[in-house]
Amino acid sequence: MSAPRLRATPLPGIGVQYDLVTREDRHLSVVAHRDGARTVSVYRADDPDSCAQSTRLTGAEAGALIDALKPSHHSASLLYTTDLGLVAERIEVAATSRWNGRVLGETRMRTDTGASVVAVLRRAEAIPSPAPDFRLAGGDTLIVIGTREGVDAAATILGRE
């Protein structure tokens, strides 16, 4: 069996389009939009240049699809996963986030999700074990550990799609 044929094409101002031709000569494409969304398209078997179906997924939906296709995936934000069902993931605080300038404890993240912020990356500095009175800033990257569901809920609290 030959290796899958995957081609990446930059789409200026949009993102990157990934085209895959399967072993059965089926053409699939995924457009990775700059906002984190994905558009998945399947092309007709009798005309590989004609799109038969296309659907747009949010970043969270694309992540769920990745989990369904290959549970041991390695997304850019996923740092680690264990056999115990715990994951460590990076979650960025956007400059436009409602949490920019507010303290970590106000998010109620640990109480409401069971996920813990074990470190904050700010510019070139790492702040381990931030206390509840730690003030968040836009651009911070939180290292969050918990169950998959807890980390996803933490990402929702922080406003990530």
Side-chain angles (χ1 to χ4, degrees):
M1 181 165 92
S2 64
R5 295 174 282 170
L6 183 66
R7 183 180 72 231
T9 306
L11 303 174
I14 297 169
V16 178
Q17 179 172 329
Y18 298 93
D19 290 288
L20 172 71
V21 177
T22 69
R23 180 182 63 196
E24 297 165 345
D25 285 326
R26 293 299 308 264
H27 177 194
L28 309 169
S29 77
V30 175
V31 174
H33 297 270
R34 290 175 26 182
D35 66 1
R38 301 292 188 261
T39 301
V40 180
S41 300
V42 180
Y43 293 82
R44 291 178 33 179
D46 62 336
D47 182 1
D49 293 326
S50 180
C51 185
Q53 182 74 38
S54 184
T55 191
R56 187 173 170 104
L57 304 173
T58 65
E61 291 166 339
L65 180 59
I66 289 167
D67 285 338
L69 292 171
K70 187 175 182 183
S72 62
H73 80 282
H74 297 283
S75 71
S77 61
L78 183 66
L79 297 172
Y80 188 73
T81 185
T82 71
D83 292 336
L84 299 174
L86 297 176
V87 297
E89 191 166 308
R90 293 180 180 103
I91 303 173
E92 186 173 339
V93 177
T96 58
S97 171
R98 66 181 281 211
W99 302 111
N100 185 1
R102 295 174 68 183
V103 297
L104 179 60
E106 288 181 55
T107 67
R108 295 185 42 85
M109 192 178 320
R110 184 180 173 114
T111 301
D112 293 348
T113 70
S116 298
V117 176
V118 297
V120 176
L121 308 177
R122 180 175 286 166
R123 295 182 278 289
E125 180 183 10
I127 299 115
S129 304
D133 63 350
F134 178 83
R135 193 159 303 276
L136 298 170
D140 283 352
T141 299
L142 281 59
I143 307 301
V144 181
I145 294 181
T147 63
R148 172 80 273 156
E149 296 80 14
V151 172
D152 287 345
T156 298
I157 287 171
L158 290 169
R160 183 184 79 189
E161 272 291 313

PDB file of all heavy atoms in Angstrom, residues 11-46:
ATOM      1  N   LEU A  11      -3.443  29.536   1.511  1.00  0.00           N
ATOM      2  CA  LEU A  11      -4.522  30.380   0.997  1.00  0.00           C
ATOM      3  C   LEU A  11      -4.390  31.728   1.696  1.00  0.00           C
ATOM      4  O   LEU A  11      -4.908  31.899   2.803  1.00  0.00           O
ATOM      5  CB  LEU A  11      -5.892  29.745   1.266  1.00  0.00           C
ATOM      6  CG  LEU A  11      -6.125  28.349   0.710  1.00  0.00           C
ATOM      7  CD1 LEU A  11      -7.465  27.797   1.193  1.00  0.00           C
ATOM      8  CD2 LEU A  11      -6.064  28.364  -0.811  1.00  0.00           C
ATOM      9  N   PRO A  12      -3.665  32.687   1.088  1.00  0.00           N
ATOM     10  CA  PRO A  12      -3.403  33.967   1.748  1.00  0.00           C
ATOM     11  C   PRO A  12      -4.688  34.617   2.268  1.00  0.00           C
ATOM     12  O   PRO A  12      -5.695  34.696   1.565  1.00  0.00           O
ATOM     13  CB  PRO A  12      -2.758  34.813   0.647  1.00  0.00           C
ATOM     14  CG  PRO A  12      -2.135  33.790  -0.266  1.00  0.00           C
ATOM     15  CD  PRO A  12      -3.089  32.627  -0.251  1.00  0.00           C
ATOM     16  N   GLY A  13      -4.628  35.023   3.540  1.00  0.00           N
ATOM     17  CA  GLY A  13      -5.765  35.673   4.177  1.00  0.00           C
ATOM     18  C   GLY A  13      -6.826  34.710   4.667  1.00  0.00           C
ATOM     19  O   GLY A  13      -7.775  35.123   5.336  1.00  0.00           O
ATOM     20  N   ILE A  14      -6.705  33.432   4.342  1.00  0.00           N
ATOM     21  CA  ILE A  14      -7.716  32.441   4.728  1.00  0.00           C
ATOM     22  C   ILE A  14      -7.121  31.390   5.647  1.00  0.00           C
ATOM     23  O   ILE A  14      -7.627  31.119   6.719  1.00  0.00           O
ATOM     24  CB  ILE A  14      -8.326  31.758   3.481  1.00  0.00           C
ATOM     25  CG1 ILE A  14      -9.045  32.800   2.631  1.00  0.00           C
ATOM     26  CG2 ILE A  14      -9.266  30.625   3.879  1.00  0.00           C
ATOM     27  CD1 ILE A  14      -9.462  32.303   1.266  1.00  0.00           C
ATOM     28  N   GLY A  15      -6.040  30.740   5.204  1.00  0.00           N
ATOM     29  CA  GLY A  15      -5.423  29.659   5.965  1.00  0.00           C
ATOM     30  C   GLY A  15      -4.657  28.743   5.043  1.00  0.00           C
ATOM     31  O   GLY A  15      -3.929  29.202   4.163  1.00  0.00           O
ATOM     32  N   VAL A  16      -4.848  27.434   5.220  1.00  0.00           N
ATOM     33  CA  VAL A  16      -4.152  26.434   4.413  1.00  0.00           C
ATOM     34  C   VAL A  16      -5.162  25.379   3.973  1.00  0.00           C
ATOM     35  O   VAL A  16      -6.000  24.949   4.765  1.00  0.00           O
ATOM     36  CB  VAL A  16      -3.018  25.747   5.209  1.00  0.00           C
ATOM     37  CG1 VAL A  16      -2.328  24.670   4.381  1.00  0.00           C
ATOM     38  CG2 VAL A  16      -1.996  26.771   5.692  1.00  0.00           C
ATOM     39  N   GLN A  17      -5.071  24.986   2.715  1.00  0.00           N
ATOM     40  CA  GLN A  17      -5.909  23.897   2.217  1.00  0.00           C
ATOM     41  C   GLN A  17      -5.067  22.645   2.104  1.00  0.00           C
ATOM     42  O   GLN A  17      -3.985  22.654   1.536  1.00  0.00           O
ATOM     43  CB  GLN A  17      -6.505  24.219   0.849  1.00  0.00           C
ATOM     44  CG  GLN A  17      -7.364  23.079   0.316  1.00  0.00           C
ATOM     45  CD  GLN A  17      -8.129  23.448  -0.937  1.00  0.00           C
ATOM     46  OE1 GLN A  17      -8.504  24.599  -1.118  1.00  0.00           O
ATOM     47  NE2 GLN A  17      -8.360  22.479  -1.798  1.00  0.00           N
ATOM     48  N   TYR A  18      -5.576  21.554   2.689  1.00  0.00           N
ATOM     49  CA  TYR A  18      -4.929  20.253   2.624  1.00  0.00           C
ATOM     50  C   TYR A  18      -5.778  19.359   1.738  1.00  0.00           C
ATOM     51  O   TYR A  18      -6.967  19.181   1.978  1.00  0.00           O
ATOM     52  CB  TYR A  18      -4.803  19.627   4.019  1.00  0.00           C
ATOM     53  CG  TYR A  18      -3.955  20.457   4.946  1.00  0.00           C
ATOM     54  CD1 TYR A  18      -4.523  21.409   5.781  1.00  0.00           C
ATOM     55  CD2 TYR A  18      -2.575  20.287   4.970  1.00  0.00           C
ATOM     56  CE1 TYR A  18      -3.734  22.178   6.625  1.00  0.00           C
ATOM     57  CE2 TYR A  18      -1.783  21.050   5.814  1.00  0.00           C
ATOM     58  CZ  TYR A  18      -2.372  21.994   6.639  1.00  0.00           C
ATOM     59  OH  TYR A  18      -1.590  22.745   7.463  1.00  0.00           O
ATOM     60  N   ASP A  19      -5.172  18.823   0.688  1.00  0.00           N
ATOM     61  CA  ASP A  19      -5.860  17.930  -0.240  1.00  0.00           C
ATOM     62  C   ASP A  19      -5.286  16.532  -0.080  1.00  0.00           C
ATOM     63  O   ASP A  19      -4.069  16.347  -0.066  1.00  0.00           O
ATOM     64  CB  ASP A  19      -5.678  18.404  -1.683  1.00  0.00           C
ATOM     65  CG  ASP A  19      -6.442  19.687  -1.948  1.00  0.00           C
ATOM     66  OD1 ASP A  19      -7.677  19.623  -2.011  1.00  0.00           O
ATOM     67  OD2 ASP A  19      -5.792  20.744  -2.072  1.00  0.00           O
ATOM     68  N   LEU A  20      -6.186  15.570   0.023  1.00  0.00           N
ATOM     69  CA  LEU A  20      -5.797  14.180   0.186  1.00  0.00           C
ATOM     70  C   LEU A  20      -6.460  13.368  -0.911  1.00  0.00           C
ATOM     71  O   LEU A  20      -7.659  13.503  -1.159  1.00  0.00           O
ATOM     72  CB  LEU A  20      -6.255  13.646   1.547  1.00  0.00           C
ATOM     73  CG  LEU A  20      -6.084  12.146   1.775  1.00  0.00           C
ATOM     74  CD1 LEU A  20      -4.613  11.797   1.936  1.00  0.00           C
ATOM     75  CD2 LEU A  20      -6.866  11.708   2.996  1.00  0.00           C
ATOM     76  N   VAL A  21      -5.675  12.547  -1.579  1.00  0.00           N
ATOM     77  CA  VAL A  21      -6.204  11.582  -2.539  1.00  0.00           C
ATOM     78  C   VAL A  21      -6.000  10.220  -1.904  1.00  0.00           C
ATOM     79  O   VAL A  21      -4.885   9.838  -1.578  1.00  0.00           O
ATOM     80  CB  VAL A  21      -5.503  11.690  -3.911  1.00  0.00           C
ATOM     81  CG1 VAL A  21      -6.027  10.630  -4.862  1.00  0.00           C
ATOM     82  CG2 VAL A  21      -5.695  13.082  -4.494  1.00  0.00           C
ATOM     83  N   THR A  22      -7.115   9.524  -1.691  1.00  0.00           N
ATOM     84  CA  THR A  22      -7.060   8.242  -0.998  1.00  0.00           C
ATOM     85  C   THR A  22      -6.579   7.121  -1.916  1.00  0.00           C
ATOM     86  O   THR A  22      -6.463   7.306  -3.130  1.00  0.00           O
ATOM     87  CB  THR A  22      -8.434   7.848  -0.445  1.00  0.00           C
ATOM     88  OG1 THR A  22      -9.299   7.538  -1.541  1.00  0.00           O
ATOM     89  CG2 THR A  22      -9.029   8.966   0.405  1.00  0.00           C
ATOM     90  N   ARG A  23      -6.355   5.965  -1.308  1.00  0.00           N
ATOM     91  CA  ARG A  23      -5.958   4.770  -2.040  1.00  0.00           C
ATOM     92  C   ARG A  23      -6.989   4.424  -3.125  1.00  0.00           C
ATOM     93  O   ARG A  23      -6.647   3.882  -4.160  1.00  0.00           O
ATOM     94  CB  ARG A  23      -5.817   3.620  -1.047  1.00  0.00           C
ATOM     95  CG  ARG A  23      -5.404   2.310  -1.661  1.00  0.00           C
ATOM     96  CD  ARG A  23      -5.326   1.223  -0.626  1.00  0.00           C
ATOM     97  NE  ARG A  23      -6.653   1.015  -0.052  1.00  0.00           N
ATOM     98  CZ  ARG A  23      -6.912   0.382   1.066  1.00  0.00           C
ATOM     99  NH1 ARG A  23      -5.937  -0.096   1.783  1.00  0.00           N
ATOM    100  NH2 ARG A  23      -8.126   0.237   1.500  1.00  0.00           N
ATOM    101  N   GLU A  24      -8.256   4.776  -2.867  1.00  0.00           N
ATOM    102  CA  GLU A  24      -9.333   4.507  -3.833  1.00  0.00           C
ATOM    103  C   GLU A  24      -9.554   5.674  -4.784  1.00  0.00           C
ATOM    104  O   GLU A  24     -10.592   5.785  -5.422  1.00  0.00           O
ATOM    105  CB  GLU A  24     -10.611   4.178  -3.068  1.00  0.00           C
ATOM    106  CG  GLU A  24     -10.446   2.916  -2.234  1.00  0.00           C
ATOM    107  CD  GLU A  24     -11.551   2.760  -1.201  1.00  0.00           C
ATOM    108  OE1 GLU A  24     -12.279   3.736  -0.937  1.00  0.00           O
ATOM    109  OE2 GLU A  24     -11.662   1.658  -0.660  1.00  0.00           O
ATOM    110  N   ASP A  25      -8.554   6.581  -4.873  1.00  0.00           N
ATOM    111  CA  ASP A  25      -8.599   7.761  -5.741  1.00  0.00           C
ATOM    112  C   ASP A  25      -9.764   8.693  -5.442  1.00  0.00           C
ATOM    113  O   ASP A  25     -10.300   9.343  -6.342  1.00  0.00           O
ATOM    114  CB  ASP A  25      -8.599   7.365  -7.228  1.00  0.00           C
ATOM    115  CG  ASP A  25      -7.226   6.907  -7.677  1.00  0.00           C
ATOM    116  OD1 ASP A  25      -6.228   7.455  -7.153  1.00  0.00           O
ATOM    117  OD2 ASP A  25      -7.148   6.010  -8.534  1.00  0.00           O
ATOM    118  N   ARG A  26     -10.142   8.799  -4.163  1.00  0.00           N
ATOM    119  CA  ARG A  26     -11.153   9.771  -3.739  1.00  0.00           C
ATOM    120  C   ARG A  26     -10.428  11.032  -3.282  1.00  0.00           C
ATOM    121  O   ARG A  26      -9.387  10.968  -2.632  1.00  0.00           O
ATOM    122  CB  ARG A  26     -12.013   9.224  -2.594  1.00  0.00           C
ATOM    123  CG  ARG A  26     -12.898   8.046  -2.981  1.00  0.00           C
ATOM    124  CD  ARG A  26     -13.923   8.365  -4.079  1.00  0.00           C
ATOM    125  NE  ARG A  26     -14.738   9.518  -3.856  1.00  0.00           N
ATOM    126  CZ  ARG A  26     -15.960   9.506  -3.325  1.00  0.00           C
ATOM    127  NH1 ARG A  26     -16.504   8.369  -2.957  1.00  0.00           N
ATOM    128  NH2 ARG A  26     -16.633  10.614  -3.165  1.00  0.00           N
ATOM    129  N   HIS A  27     -10.972  12.180  -3.627  1.00  0.00           N
ATOM    130  CA  HIS A  27     -10.370  13.462  -3.298  1.00  0.00           C
ATOM    131  C   HIS A  27     -11.128  14.081  -2.119  1.00  0.00           C
ATOM    132  O   HIS A  27     -12.330  14.293  -2.190  1.00  0.00           O
ATOM    133  CB  HIS A  27     -10.434  14.385  -4.524  1.00  0.00           C
ATOM    134  CG  HIS A  27      -9.905  15.760  -4.278  1.00  0.00           C
ATOM    135  ND1 HIS A  27     -10.135  16.786  -5.158  1.00  0.00           N
ATOM    136  CD2 HIS A  27      -9.154  16.301  -3.292  1.00  0.00           C
ATOM    137  CE1 HIS A  27      -9.560  17.890  -4.706  1.00  0.00           C
ATOM    138  NE2 HIS A  27      -8.958  17.608  -3.579  1.00  0.00           N
ATOM    139  N   LEU A  28     -10.385  14.357  -1.039  1.00  0.00           N
ATOM    140  CA  LEU A  28     -10.912  15.038   0.138  1.00  0.00           C
ATOM    141  C   LEU A  28     -10.069  16.281   0.362  1.00  0.00           C
ATOM    142  O   LEU A  28      -8.884  16.291   0.053  1.00  0.00           O
ATOM    143  CB  LEU A  28     -10.802  14.153   1.378  1.00  0.00           C
ATOM    144  CG  LEU A  28     -11.349  12.742   1.305  1.00  0.00           C
ATOM    145  CD1 LEU A  28     -10.913  11.944   2.526  1.00  0.00           C
ATOM    146  CD2 LEU A  28     -12.850  12.774   1.205  1.00  0.00           C
ATOM    147  N   SER A  29     -10.681  17.311   0.927  1.00  0.00           N
ATOM    148  CA  SER A  29      -9.872  18.476   1.294  1.00  0.00           C
ATOM    149  C   SER A  29     -10.358  19.043   2.612  1.00  0.00           C
ATOM    150  O   SER A  29     -11.519  18.904   2.985  1.00  0.00           O
ATOM    151  CB  SER A  29      -9.903  19.558   0.209  1.00  0.00           C
ATOM    152  OG  SER A  29     -11.109  20.273   0.235  1.00  0.00           O
ATOM    153  N   VAL A  30      -9.411  19.677   3.312  1.00  0.00           N
ATOM    154  CA  VAL A  30      -9.707  20.377   4.553  1.00  0.00           C
ATOM    155  C   VAL A  30      -9.068  21.750   4.427  1.00  0.00           C
ATOM    156  O   VAL A  30      -7.874  21.860   4.159  1.00  0.00           O
ATOM    157  CB  VAL A  30      -9.129  19.643   5.778  1.00  0.00           C
ATOM    158  CG1 VAL A  30      -9.344  20.460   7.043  1.00  0.00           C
ATOM    159  CG2 VAL A  30      -9.740  18.264   5.924  1.00  0.00           C
ATOM    160  N   VAL A  31      -9.883  22.786   4.612  1.00  0.00           N
ATOM    161  CA  VAL A  31      -9.337  24.137   4.676  1.00  0.00           C
ATOM    162  C   VAL A  31      -9.238  24.495   6.152  1.00  0.00           C
ATOM    163  O   VAL A  31     -10.246  24.500   6.873  1.00  0.00           O
ATOM    164  CB  VAL A  31     -10.212  25.156   3.925  1.00  0.00           C
ATOM    165  CG1 VAL A  31      -9.675  26.571   4.137  1.00  0.00           C
ATOM    166  CG2 VAL A  31     -10.265  24.829   2.443  1.00  0.00           C
ATOM    167  N   ALA A  32      -8.005  24.714   6.616  1.00  0.00           N
ATOM    168  CA  ALA A  32      -7.753  25.139   7.990  1.00  0.00           C
ATOM    169  C   ALA A  32      -7.769  26.663   7.993  1.00  0.00           C
ATOM    170  O   ALA A  32      -6.822  27.299   7.548  1.00  0.00           O
ATOM    171  CB  ALA A  32      -6.414  24.594   8.470  1.00  0.00           C
ATOM    172  N   HIS A  33      -8.875  27.221   8.469  1.00  0.00           N
ATOM    173  CA  HIS A  33      -9.040  28.673   8.486  1.00  0.00           C
ATOM    174  C   HIS A  33      -8.209  29.292   9.604  1.00  0.00           C
ATOM    175  O   HIS A  33      -7.969  28.659  10.635  1.00  0.00           O
ATOM    176  CB  HIS A  33     -10.510  29.039   8.678  1.00  0.00           C
ATOM    177  CG  HIS A  33     -11.384  28.564   7.571  1.00  0.00           C
ATOM    178  ND1 HIS A  33     -11.645  29.309   6.451  1.00  0.00           N
ATOM    179  CD2 HIS A  33     -12.050  27.387   7.410  1.00  0.00           C
ATOM    180  CE1 HIS A  33     -12.438  28.622   5.645  1.00  0.00           C
ATOM    181  NE2 HIS A  33     -12.703  27.445   6.209  1.00  0.00           N
ATOM    182  N   ARG A  34      -7.799  30.525   9.421  1.00  0.00           N
ATOM    183  CA  ARG A  34      -6.977  31.210  10.413  1.00  0.00           C
ATOM    184  C   ARG A  34      -7.689  31.356  11.746  1.00  0.00           C
ATOM    185  O   ARG A  34      -7.058  31.421  12.788  1.00  0.00           O
ATOM    186  CB  ARG A  34      -6.569  32.582   9.894  1.00  0.00           C
ATOM    187  CG  ARG A  34      -5.572  32.479   8.766  1.00  0.00           C
ATOM    188  CD  ARG A  34      -5.205  33.782   8.128  1.00  0.00           C
ATOM    189  NE  ARG A  34      -5.350  34.930   9.002  1.00  0.00           N
ATOM    190  CZ  ARG A  34      -5.121  36.166   8.644  1.00  0.00           C
ATOM    191  NH1 ARG A  34      -4.733  36.426   7.427  1.00  0.00           N
ATOM    192  NH2 ARG A  34      -5.278  37.153   9.486  1.00  0.00           N
ATOM    193  N   ASP A  35      -9.021  31.375  11.758  1.00  0.00           N
ATOM    194  CA  ASP A  35      -9.773  31.521  13.011  1.00  0.00           C
ATOM    195  C   ASP A  35      -9.958  30.204  13.753  1.00  0.00           C
ATOM    196  O   ASP A  35     -10.633  30.144  14.775  1.00  0.00           O
ATOM    197  CB  ASP A  35     -11.129  32.167  12.758  1.00  0.00           C
ATOM    198  CG  ASP A  35     -12.074  31.309  11.931  1.00  0.00           C
ATOM    199  OD1 ASP A  35     -11.704  30.180  11.543  1.00  0.00           O
ATOM    200  OD2 ASP A  35     -13.203  31.780  11.663  1.00  0.00           O
ATOM    201  N   GLY A  36      -9.356  29.119  13.255  1.00  0.00           N
ATOM    202  CA  GLY A  36      -9.460  27.820  13.915  1.00  0.00           C
ATOM    203  C   GLY A  36     -10.532  26.917  13.338  1.00  0.00           C
ATOM    204  O   GLY A  36     -10.569  25.731  13.622  1.00  0.00           O
ATOM    205  N   ALA A  37     -11.436  27.464  12.540  1.00  0.00           N
ATOM    206  CA  ALA A  37     -12.485  26.650  11.913  1.00  0.00           C
ATOM    207  C   ALA A  37     -11.867  25.782  10.816  1.00  0.00           C
ATOM    208  O   ALA A  37     -10.752  26.029  10.363  1.00  0.00           O
ATOM    209  CB  ALA A  37     -13.573  27.547  11.326  1.00  0.00           C
ATOM    210  N   ARG A  38     -12.594  24.769  10.417  1.00  0.00           N
ATOM    211  CA  ARG A  38     -12.171  23.883   9.336  1.00  0.00           C
ATOM    212  C   ARG A  38     -13.342  23.680   8.393  1.00  0.00           C
ATOM    213  O   ARG A  38     -14.474  23.544   8.836  1.00  0.00           O
ATOM    214  CB  ARG A  38     -11.745  22.503   9.871  1.00  0.00           C
ATOM    215  CG  ARG A  38     -10.609  22.520  10.880  1.00  0.00           C
ATOM    216  CD  ARG A  38      -9.309  22.942  10.228  1.00  0.00           C
ATOM    217  NE  ARG A  38      -8.163  22.797  11.084  1.00  0.00           N
ATOM    218  CZ  ARG A  38      -7.615  23.779  11.767  1.00  0.00           C
ATOM    219  NH1 ARG A  38      -8.121  24.979  11.734  1.00  0.00           N
ATOM    220  NH2 ARG A  38      -6.542  23.569  12.499  1.00  0.00           N
ATOM    221  N   THR A  39     -13.067  23.643   7.102  1.00  0.00           N
ATOM    222  CA  THR A  39     -14.064  23.271   6.113  1.00  0.00           C
ATOM    223  C   THR A  39     -13.610  21.960   5.502  1.00  0.00           C
ATOM    224  O   THR A  39     -12.517  21.875   4.943  1.00  0.00           O
ATOM    225  CB  THR A  39     -14.227  24.344   5.010  1.00  0.00           C
ATOM    226  OG1 THR A  39     -14.614  25.574   5.632  1.00  0.00           O
ATOM    227  CG2 THR A  39     -15.276  23.940   3.998  1.00  0.00           C
ATOM    228  N   VAL A  40     -14.450  20.928   5.645  1.00  0.00           N
ATOM    229  CA  VAL A  40     -14.153  19.599   5.129  1.00  0.00           C
ATOM    230  C   VAL A  40     -14.987  19.401   3.869  1.00  0.00           C
ATOM    231  O   VAL A  40     -16.200  19.599   3.887  1.00  0.00           O
ATOM    232  CB  VAL A  40     -14.500  18.507   6.164  1.00  0.00           C
ATOM    233  CG1 VAL A  40     -14.185  17.125   5.616  1.00  0.00           C
ATOM    234  CG2 VAL A  40     -13.758  18.756   7.460  1.00  0.00           C
ATOM    235  N   SER A  41     -14.340  19.006   2.777  1.00  0.00           N
ATOM    236  CA  SER A  41     -15.029  18.812   1.503  1.00  0.00           C
ATOM    237  C   SER A  41     -14.705  17.435   0.938  1.00  0.00           C
ATOM    238  O   SER A  41     -13.573  16.954   1.040  1.00  0.00           O
ATOM    239  CB  SER A  41     -14.606  19.879   0.485  1.00  0.00           C
ATOM    240  OG  SER A  41     -14.916  21.175   0.979  1.00  0.00           O
ATOM    241  N   VAL A  42     -15.720  16.818   0.348  1.00  0.00           N
ATOM    242  CA  VAL A  42     -15.584  15.525  -0.326  1.00  0.00           C
ATOM    243  C   VAL A  42     -15.967  15.755  -1.780  1.00  0.00           C
ATOM    244  O   VAL A  42     -16.999  16.355  -2.072  1.00  0.00           O
ATOM    245  CB  VAL A  42     -16.521  14.468   0.307  1.00  0.00           C
ATOM    246  CG1 VAL A  42     -16.377  13.139  -0.408  1.00  0.00           C
ATOM    247  CG2 VAL A  42     -16.244  14.326   1.792  1.00  0.00           C
ATOM    248  N   TYR A  43     -15.128  15.255  -2.687  1.00  0.00           N
ATOM    249  CA  TYR A  43     -15.346  15.481  -4.107  1.00  0.00           C
ATOM    250  C   TYR A  43     -15.964  14.252  -4.765  1.00  0.00           C
ATOM    251  O   TYR A  43     -15.828  13.132  -4.279  1.00  0.00           O
ATOM    252  CB  TYR A  43     -14.024  15.881  -4.770  1.00  0.00           C
ATOM    253  CG  TYR A  43     -13.565  17.226  -4.276  1.00  0.00           C
ATOM    254  CD1 TYR A  43     -12.882  17.347  -3.062  1.00  0.00           C
ATOM    255  CD2 TYR A  43     -13.851  18.386  -4.986  1.00  0.00           C
ATOM    256  CE1 TYR A  43     -12.496  18.591  -2.585  1.00  0.00           C
ATOM    257  CE2 TYR A  43     -13.467  19.623  -4.518  1.00  0.00           C
ATOM    258  CZ  TYR A  43     -12.784  19.721  -3.306  1.00  0.00           C
ATOM    259  OH  TYR A  43     -12.422  20.950  -2.840  1.00  0.00           O
ATOM    260  N   ARG A  44     -16.652  14.468  -5.847  1.00  0.00           N
ATOM    261  CA  ARG A  44     -17.339  13.383  -6.560  1.00  0.00           C
ATOM    262  C   ARG A  44     -16.334  12.377  -7.116  1.00  0.00           C
ATOM    263  O   ARG A  44     -15.270  12.743  -7.592  1.00  0.00           O
ATOM    264  CB  ARG A  44     -18.167  13.959  -7.701  1.00  0.00           C
ATOM    265  CG  ARG A  44     -19.350  14.766  -7.200  1.00  0.00           C
ATOM    266  CD  ARG A  44     -20.157  15.378  -8.291  1.00  0.00           C
ATOM    267  NE  ARG A  44     -20.186  14.535  -9.501  1.00  0.00           N
ATOM    268  CZ  ARG A  44     -20.849  14.846 -10.582  1.00  0.00           C
ATOM    269  NH1 ARG A  44     -21.542  15.967 -10.629  1.00  0.00           N
ATOM    270  NH2 ARG A  44     -20.835  14.062 -11.628  1.00  0.00           N
ATOM    271  N   ALA A  45     -16.712  11.092  -7.066  1.00  0.00           N
ATOM    272  CA  ALA A  45     -15.836  10.029  -7.574  1.00  0.00           C
ATOM    273  C   ALA A  45     -15.695  10.111  -9.086  1.00  0.00           C
ATOM    274  O   ALA A  45     -14.613   9.869  -9.623  1.00  0.00           O
ATOM    275  CB  ALA A  45     -16.385   8.660  -7.168  1.00  0.00           C
ATOM    276  N   ASP A  46     -16.772  10.500  -9.772  1.00  0.00           N
ATOM    277  CA  ASP A  46     -16.724  10.552 -11.230  1.00  0.00           C
ATOM    278  C   ASP A  46     -16.124  11.849 -11.763  1.00  0.00           C
ATOM    279  O   ASP A  46     -15.826  11.966 -12.942  1.00  0.00           O
ATOM    280  CB  ASP A  46     -18.127  10.332 -11.827  1.00  0.00           C
ATOM    281  CG  ASP A  46     -19.120  11.415 -11.413  1.00  0.00           C
ATOM    282  OD1 ASP A  46     -18.911  12.061 -10.360  1.00  0.00           O
ATOM    283  OD2 ASP A  46     -20.108  11.611 -12.136  1.00  0.00           O
TER     284      ASP A  46
END
